[in-house]
Amino acid sequence: MSASFAEAAARRWRGRPVSLAFAGSSAGQAVGAGAATALVAGIFLLLIGLPLGLVLVQAFVPDLFDPAARAVTVTLEPFLTALSEKRAILAITHSLFLATVAALTATLLGGLYAFVLRRTDVPFRGFLAATPWLVFLTPGYLKALAWVLLMSPNGYLAQFGLLPPWLGDAFFSPAGLVFLHTLNLFPLAYFMINAAMVGLGGEFEDAARTVGASTLSAWLRINLPLLAPAIALALLAIFAEVLADFGMAVTIARTVNFGLLTYGIYAATNDFPVDFALAGSQALVLLLMIVAVLVADRMLRRQRSLRLISGRARPARIYALRFWRWPIVGAGILIALLAVHLPLVAIALRAVCRTLGQGLVANNFTWRFLDQAVTLAHPSNAALLRSLGFAALTAFVSVAVAILLAYRLDHRRPIQRQIIIGVSLASVAIPGIVLGFGYILVWNRLPGFRDLPVQVYGTWPLLVTSYVAAGLPYALVIVMSAIGQISPNLVDAARLH
């Protein structure tokens, strides 16, 4: 009896350290995961949240960083002024209209583009798949300038006799702005919806066909609801991007006297003395628009997003286009022509011409500008190489932080994900000039940052940091759209091995 009792006690005591070690290991993993999430989220808020918050504070505390101010007062006067002026009200109305219509058209085009490339046997797939990337990598301001060169009364299309007067008048209008935003931003919807369609297997359609549902009915009642989170995210991202666009606002919109909020913010910060309070108030209006859309989306979709990528997915069904193949290819070529090739041709022509007004004549062509761009000792070449280096470094850091943050947020509560997405879309909706002003306030005026022993303000690391802050929201929204489709059972299965 005593021997049996001793053996049982020994077994019990031998097992106790194992249990304690297991509990300690689980607790340590939980603490480590929480610390990693807090670290990545802290970096995100430091890059975007703090500069953006200081800009918005200017709307209510305009004298916060004014060294000549005797007292700091909180007032609603700048914000009320931004909402009471007729020009500001028109700018808000125009921005809302343009963002809403362009978000719908760009998302529709991007969704159809993703469906054709992902689920059909369309030919020339490589050429069509490269178009969204080329559009996405071309700066929006460059494309806006190119279309102005093409569609102006003395532009290149008019010089070739290809521009009817009615078409030029229609282009320089709100319809032209919607057209350009649709061509410019449909890649965002394509990337997000295509990432969601990767995990949309054929098991749902097979189940629908077993009960007699048609292909159209299966898509309308099953596949589209499953893709709804990605579609909604694309709508929100494009809506925010149109609100934040500055290239169209300062070129075409200003030409047709179609005032937008981004140009109003630029005008407030470009005056002397700079009216930072008015700029912050108008930036706050932009932020409230994004928050309102996020809240509405949250109220309409209270359930969690369905996970489409799992270990039980069947290969997706590929539809045969038959006689529709070549019309769809022609439409894809037309999109590539309008969104990429035609603007690049206009920019290339302008690069080898002394002036636009003299036309495409022999004595107007010159290689002087291109020669300066490729000459090593010329400042333009040094600026180009510096831009390439900063772009590569920004892309690497932005994607790395986005992947870490998206993975951590995928395992957090929905409210935390909504906060991060809200801050991301808000930063997209704020023009770069305002975010740059926020960095000036942080590193030149905010105690604790300006007193660092390492010089940050006025150096290239701060410039790269601001680029990362501008690029991180795009990377985060796209990566979260893809990671959000992965079923947790795949992670659990990986941990077993």
Side-chain angles (χ1 to χ4, degrees):
M1 173 104 34
S2 60
S4 300
F5 178 78
E7 291 176 1
R11 286 196 303 267
R12 183 174 59 187
W13 284 102
R14 282 197 301 267
R16 182 170 299 179
V18 176
S19 301
L20 292 176
F22 180 78
S25 176
S26 300
Q29 291 178 357
V31 172
T37 302
L39 177 61
V40 177
I43 293 174
F44 178 83
L45 294 177
L46 178 63
L47 288 175
I48 298 177
L50 183 59
L52 184 59
L54 291 181
V55 172
L56 299 179
V57 165
Q58 297 287 300
F60 305 104
V61 191
D63 299 328
L64 180 60
F65 297 105
D66 188 0
R70 297 182 179 180
V72 176
T73 58
V74 178
T75 176
L76 295 176
E77 183 178 356
F79 183 67
L80 296 177
T81 300
L83 294 178
S84 60
E85 292 183 353
K86 181 179 179 181
R87 181 178 299 179
I89 295 175
L90 285 177
I92 294 172
T93 305
H94 292 166
S95 298
L96 278 175
F97 167 78
L98 183 62
T100 302
V101 177
L104 293 173
T105 55
T107 302
L108 178 61
L109 179 59
L112 292 175
Y113 210 93
F115 172 79
V116 168
L117 290 181
R118 178 62 57 181
R119 302 297 296 271
T120 68
D121 61 345
V122 64
F124 303 107
R125 188 180 303 272
F127 171 80
L128 297 178
T131 299
W133 287 102
L134 294 176
V135 176
F136 184 74
L137 295 175
T138 307
Y141 178 78
L142 191 65
K143 285 177 285 190
L145 180 61
W147 277 101
V148 170
L149 294 174
L150 289 169
M151 304 298 292
S152 297
N154 295 324
Y156 293 124
L157 292 182
Q159 294 176 17
F160 284 107
L162 301 176
L163 182 65
W166 65 267
L167 183 59
D169 296 337
F171 178 80
F172 289 98
S173 67
L177 290 172
V178 172
F179 169 76
L180 289 185
H181 277 303
T182 302
L183 289 179
N184 188 30
L185 297 176
F186 86 91
L188 284 178
Y190 166 77
F191 294 144
M192 297 174 191
I193 298 175
N194 182 67
M197 291 184 67
V198 170
L200 187 62
E203 63 273 14
F204 303 108
E205 296 176 59
D206 295 339
R209 285 198 299 269
T210 59
V211 295
S214 62
T215 301
L216 180 60
S217 178
W219 270 94
L220 293 178
R221 303 186 63 178
I222 298 177
N223 288 346
L224 284 182
L226 290 175
L227 296 174
I231 296 174
L233 194 58
L235 285 169
L236 290 176
I238 296 175
F239 181 86
E241 176 63 21
V242 175
L243 286 180
D245 178 77
F246 182 69
M248 307 289 183
V250 76
T251 53
I252 300 175
R254 186 186 177 191
T255 302
V256 300
N257 199 23
F258 192 75
L260 297 173
L261 269 175
T262 48
Y263 185 77
I265 297 173
Y266 166 76
T269 55
N270 199 41
D271 289 339
F272 185 83
V274 178
D275 194 348
F276 287 126
L278 182 58
S281 300
Q282 293 178 335
L284 181 59
V285 173
L286 282 177
L287 177 61
L288 291 177
M289 292 180 184
I290 300 299
V291 171
V293 175
L294 283 174
V295 171
D297 174 72
R298 184 63 182 172
M299 293 178 63
L300 292 174
R301 297 189 300 109
R302 294 181 179 273
Q303 72 278 10
R304 287 179 58 86
S305 299
L306 297 178
R307 307 305 181 103
L308 301 180
I309 301 178
S310 66
R312 299 182 298 273
R314 297 181 181 180
R317 180 184 179 185
I318 302 300
Y319 299 99
L321 293 177
R322 297 185 177 89
F323 60 90
W324 288 104
R325 299 178 68 191
W326 300 115
I328 291 178
V329 170
I333 294 175
L334 180 62
I335 293 174
L337 179 66
L338 296 176
V340 182
H341 302 101
L342 197 58
L344 291 182
V345 168
I347 293 298
L349 288 176
R350 187 64 187 90
V352 296
C353 293
R354 291 185 174 89
T355 63
L356 177 64
Q358 293 183 10
L360 299 175
V361 295
N363 58 357
N364 192 33
F365 287 100
T366 179
W367 296 101
R368 178 167 59 92
F369 304 119
L370 294 178
D371 182 67
Q372 293 176 356
V374 299
T375 302
L376 293 178
H378 198 272
S380 61
N381 182 266
L384 176 61
L385 296 178
R386 192 180 302 115
S387 299
L388 290 175
F390 287 165
L393 184 59
T394 300
F396 176 79
V397 176
S398 299
V399 172
V401 175
I403 291 175
L404 291 175
L405 185 57
Y407 173 75
R408 291 298 177 183
L409 288 177
D410 191 57
H411 296 78
R412 299 291 98 186
R413 296 178 179 177
I415 185 64
Q416 296 177 346
R417 299 179 71 245
Q418 292 296 323
I419 291 175
I420 296 297
I421 291 177
V423 176
S424 299
L425 294 177
S427 63
V428 170
I430 301 300
I433 187 173
V434 177
L435 194 61
F437 169 56
Y439 271 88
I440 293 175
L441 295 179
V442 170
W443 295 100
N444 194 33
R445 300 291 181 88
L446 193 64
F449 289 87
R450 66 182 181 186
D451 302 326
L452 290 176
V454 180
Q455 177 66 24
V456 177
Y457 183 76
T459 61
W460 69 265
L462 183 59
L463 181 62
V464 173
T465 303
S466 63
Y467 283 149
V468 171
L472 179 59
Y474 298 96
L476 180 62
V477 170
I478 294 174
V479 172
M480 286 188 66
S481 177
I483 290 183
Q485 307 303 323
I486 301 177
S487 177
N489 65 342
L490 295 182
V491 180
D492 298 335
R495 288 176 177 172
L496 291 178
H497 294 277

